[in-house]
Amino acid sequence: MIFPTNRYVRFDELTKLLFQLAETYPNLVDVGSIGKSYEGRDIWCATVTDKSTGSATDKPAVWCDANIHATEVSPTTALTYLLDQLTTLYGIDEDITRAVRTKTFYVIPRVNPDGAELFLADSPEAIRSSTRPYPFDDEPLSGLKREDVDGNGRLLQMRISDPDGPWKCHPDEPRLMIRRDATERGGSYYRLLPEGIVLDPDPDVLAMTPTRHGLDLNRNFPGHWRGESEQYGAGPYPTSEPEARALVDFIAKHPNICHALTFHTYSGVLLRPYGTSADDSMPAEDLWTFQEIGKKGTEITGYPAISVFHDFKYHPKEVITGVFDDWCYDHFGIYAWTVEIWSPHRQAGITEGFDATTKQGAFKFTTWGRNHELSDDIKLLKWSDDALKGEGYLPWVPFTHPQLGDIEIGGWDTLYAFRNPPSEFLFDEIQRFSKWVIWQALITPELELEVQTTHLSGTTYKIRAIAKNVGFLPTYVSKQALAKKVVRGIVMELTADSDISYITGKQRTELGQCEGYHLKGVANSGYAGDVTDYKVVAEWTISAPSGTTVKVDLKHTRGGCKHTIVVL
Ligand SMILES: [Zn+2]
């Protein structure tokens, strides 16, 4: 194993290790830059495939990226672990060997190296995404700026005693803050604020102003993109940011990509499109395929697989747009998922809404923040005290704030406990995804080519080429890909090393799509009619001198390329 799984690597080490991987496995791995970040760091892509069985672009592919959001660094570890699995188990594990021989993996472990570098610095800074100032160049004029004001190395919360405050201490557990009752007056109340300094302080007016780093790269994709007035952080126009642009450019130029997974934190779910509309707006066949992929994902990872629109909205009337997975599916018919690694709630035993037996439904992370049982807070606190040895939820410590006076600092260290798995939980959490990624590679179309020649008479030969898709998914992969006209039918081409003439058939011909063996139903109730819709045939009658070498090329946008050579 080349990459560590118990700590996070910074950019220089990540770069060094990626090239070390390529040097160790020259027949399996290429590392290259697909673009540069705002600050000029390379966005590395490791391409994994057995080069002896064909080039990367001639095979169906799976895309995996991570760490588009600055602080979401455990996703990088999930992907470097995948790279280690694909290489060290090649030739040992049957599925991995088959996948690496017949498919391609494009793995981008760190989309946003600038933001990650800031977060992994000795004195960490946590921003949402890009380091490019947005929407304005200079510092905000007023408001609260997050900062480690007491210098204890953590970004916690500030508790300010205030008779108008909406919070009070939990009756059984005074460390915990709970909401004040609707009609309650005259107790000890508090306001809670993120730890930070106040810009342009006014004793009566405090607002949360937008941060200087207001971009969210995962709102900058072209799918249903909406600007700043409708959605905070989306950037001035789709793919305005070099990181999103690099991804869009690469995916658009690699039509062999059938599946895509983008790794984030946190909440412990596998999210699928659409985020903007209900399931019935998607072709039913694609929905069934998404559900089948999701079912396998839950079986392998233990994470529920859910629709963003139906199960992961923060506000019932608001949707999030311009995101990577919706764009991949909507524009290209790629089966794209957003994996949200790590669930502190599940760790703490909060499973409401999620059926552990059927693995159906989902703990409603998105609505939990607005409304949940007080017992959940106790569970989380107990988890911090026991499993995290008190490092998750810190006691309230008095502090004299330069602008706010006597306050207390404490509460959840969300960056430590919530944002990524703490290091002792890291390996267990990230090791679960490789198998699902490999399974998705294995269900892509798989083309085979068989060529038969018949000597009819003299210099006349009949050549028959049969292309078949022995894969699970059809060659077009999704109905959406067909609807968007991004996949062409199978093209067969005949070339020869001497002058030949065609009596029947064209030198180059388009034959249409091949079905897979998916979606055929599971009931054998007498209606099955297993026609050979997974095959197409091309036939030529040619006149050629004896001994001519004939090559038949088979090409498909997603299914890949194959060729066969025969001597007449
Ligand atoms: Zn994220």
Side-chain angles (χ1 to χ4, degrees):
M1 300 254 283
I2 282 177
F3 300 94
T5 53
N6 59 352
R7 64 183 175 85
Y8 300 119
V9 293
R10 289 171 68 166
F11 183 71
D12 286 346
E13 187 180 8
L14 177 68
T15 303
K16 195 187 95 197
L17 295 179
L18 284 169
F19 281 93
Q20 192 181 323
L21 181 79
E23 274 165 35
T24 313
Y25 301 97
N27 192 39
L28 302 181
V29 183
D30 275 325
V31 173
S33 173
I34 64 162
K36 287 200 189 280
S37 67
Y38 167 67
E39 292 180 27
R41 293 186 177 89
D42 282 298
I43 301 166
W44 298 121
C45 171
T47 303
V48 182
T49 193
D50 182 343
K51 297 177 196 174
S52 72
T53 58
S55 68
T57 48
D58 286 352
K59 297 171 188 169
V62 175
W63 162 283
C64 292
D65 75 63
N67 199 190
I68 195 169
H69 288 139
T71 59
E72 300 174 6
V73 288
S74 51
T76 298
T77 317
L79 292 194
T80 53
Y81 179 74
L82 168 69
L83 290 172
D84 268 328
Q85 292 282 295
L86 291 174
T87 47
T88 55
L89 296 179
Y90 180 75
I92 296 168
D93 178 279
E94 200 182 315
D95 282 352
I96 288 177
T97 308
R98 184 150 71 90
V100 173
R101 283 181 69 79
T102 59
K103 320 291 177 186
T104 297
F105 296 84
Y106 298 118
V107 181
I108 291 78
R110 184 157 289 166
V111 174
N112 176 13
D114 301 349
E117 208 60 4
L118 216 55
F119 181 59
L120 297 173
D122 297 333
S123 146
E125 202 181 321
I127 63 169
R128 174 63 172 162
S129 215
S130 169
T131 58
R132 183 171 88 82
Y134 181 84
F136 305 109
D137 264 350
D138 49 357
E139 289 291 341
L141 300 170
S142 62
L144 188 107
K145 189 176 172 228
R146 282 202 90 175
E147 211 177 284
D148 177 18
V149 285
D150 63 356
N152 70 348
R154 300 171 185 267
L155 285 173
L156 302 175
Q157 281 179 299
M158 304 192 289
R159 185 166 88 164
I160 304 162
S161 179
D162 187 331
D164 305 328
W167 299 93
K168 63 178 181 179
C169 293
H170 191 292
D172 307 325
E173 178 45 86
R175 281 182 294 167
L176 277 179
M177 305 308 295
I178 59 170
R179 300 301 284 197
R180 174 178 156 192
D181 292 342
T183 56
E184 191 184 330
R185 293 288 185 279
S188 293
Y189 307 121
Y190 298 91
R191 280 188 303 131
L192 295 175
L193 290 169
E195 184 179 346
I197 53 159
V198 184
L199 307 168
D200 192 22
D202 176 318
D204 292 311
V205 183
L206 173 68
M208 301 296 282
T209 50
T211 134
R212 184 162 180 249
H213 298 116
L215 277 168
D216 185 335
L217 294 173
N218 199 28
R219 306 289 181 268
N220 194 229
F221 290 90
H224 301 110
W225 179 89
R226 292 175 303 158
E228 198 66 17
S229 62
E230 290 177 84
Q231 180 168 267
Y232 180 62
Y237 55 91
T239 72
S240 58
E241 307 312 307
E243 297 84 359
R245 171 68 66 98
L247 267 50
V248 165
D249 210 42
F250 187 94
I251 288 173
K253 287 175 180 159
H254 291 78
N256 56 325
I257 295 172
C258 305
H259 299 265
L261 298 97
T262 180
F263 287 80
H264 290 242
T265 65
Y266 65 95
S267 55
V269 285
L270 312 173
L271 299 172
R272 64 165 172 82
Y274 281 117
T276 50
S277 56
D279 277 353
D280 61 9
S281 65
M282 186 184 288
E285 290 81 359
D286 291 4
L287 177 62
W288 296 332
T289 305
F290 262 125
Q291 287 168 336
E292 192 146 353
I293 298 168
K295 199 172 141 202
K296 182 54 80 171
T298 302
E299 190 186 308
I300 293 173
T301 68
Y303 282 24
I306 55 177
S307 136
V308 174
F309 184 83
H310 294 287
D311 297 308
F312 206 75
K313 282 207 296 277
Y314 287 89
H315 186 286
K317 299 287 185 192
E318 286 168 17
V319 294
I320 293 170
T321 62
V323 300
F324 175 84
D325 58 356
D326 270 8
W327 166 73
C328 281
Y329 175 70
D330 200 40
H331 288 208
F332 295 109
I334 294 168
Y335 289 116
W337 293 80
T338 299
V339 178
E340 296 283 357
I341 296 178
W342 183 237
S343 170
H345 299 83
R346 217 177 289 145
Q347 294 285 330
I350 301 167
T351 52
E352 198 174 343
F354 177 69
D355 186 325
T357 313
T358 63
K359 303 260 172 71
Q360 292 301 305
F363 159 63
K364 297 282 184 192
F365 172 74
T366 43
T367 53
W368 188 85
R370 194 170 49 77
N371 194 14
H372 62 253
E373 297 294 325
L374 284 181
S375 57
D376 287 0
D377 294 298
I378 299 277
K379 283 182 187 167
L380 277 167
L381 185 64
K382 189 172 171 2
W383 172 67
S384 165
D385 288 348
D386 299 346
L388 305 183
K389 301 180 183 71
E391 296 288 308
Y393 195 96
L394 282 295
W396 297 100
V397 176
F399 180 73
T400 306
H401 189 281
Q403 290 124 3
L404 301 169
D406 287 337
I407 60 156
E408 293 159 289
I409 293 180
W412 280 109
D413 184 346
T414 51
L415 286 175
Y416 166 72
F418 288 8
R419 180 51 62 197
N420 292 286
S423 54
E424 61 271 39
F425 297 86
L426 181 60
F427 177 71
D428 179 59
E429 207 61 30
I430 58 95
Q431 54 77 28
R432 63 189 70 208
F433 305 105
S434 296
K435 272 201 168 71
W436 190 41
V437 173
I438 292 155
W439 184 86
Q440 292 195 48
L442 288 173
I443 67 167
T444 59
E446 195 163 326
L447 285 168
E448 289 181 356
L449 175 64
E450 188 193 327
V451 177
Q452 302 158 352
T453 56
T454 316
H455 188 189
L456 296 177
S457 66
T459 59
T460 311
Y461 296 86
K462 188 168 91 175
I463 298 166
R464 191 176 162 82
I466 303 158
K468 58 180 181 178
N469 173 25
V470 298
F472 181 69
L473 291 180
T475 49
Y476 52 86
V477 176
S478 68
K479 293 278 182 189
Q480 180 72 1
L482 276 186
K484 291 287 169 175
K485 300 195 186 301
V486 293
V487 282
R488 189 160 69 171
I490 285 172
V491 173
M492 292 257 220
E493 185 172 4
L494 195 149
T495 48
D497 68 348
S498 59
D499 276 347
I500 61 168
S501 59
Y502 292 85
I503 299 163
T504 66
K506 283 185 193 162
Q507 193 248 335
R508 212 162 161 257
T509 179
E510 185 179 330
L511 295 163
Q513 306 289 346
C514 293
E515 291 296 325
Y517 62 94
H518 83 313
L519 299 178
K520 301 282 189 188
V522 292
N524 176 12
S525 46
Y527 297 102
D530 291 328
V531 294
T532 53
D533 53 4
Y534 67 104
K535 279 198 239 185
V536 289
V537 178
E539 214 172 72
W540 298 271
T541 314
I542 60 166
S543 174
S546 167
T548 298
T549 301
V550 168
K551 184 176 174 223
V552 177
D553 272 297
L554 156 70
K555 263 189 200 156
H556 187 272
T557 330
R558 291 218 161 140
C561 302
K562 287 271 145 83
H563 69 263
T564 296
I565 292 168
V566 286
V567 180
L568 298 177

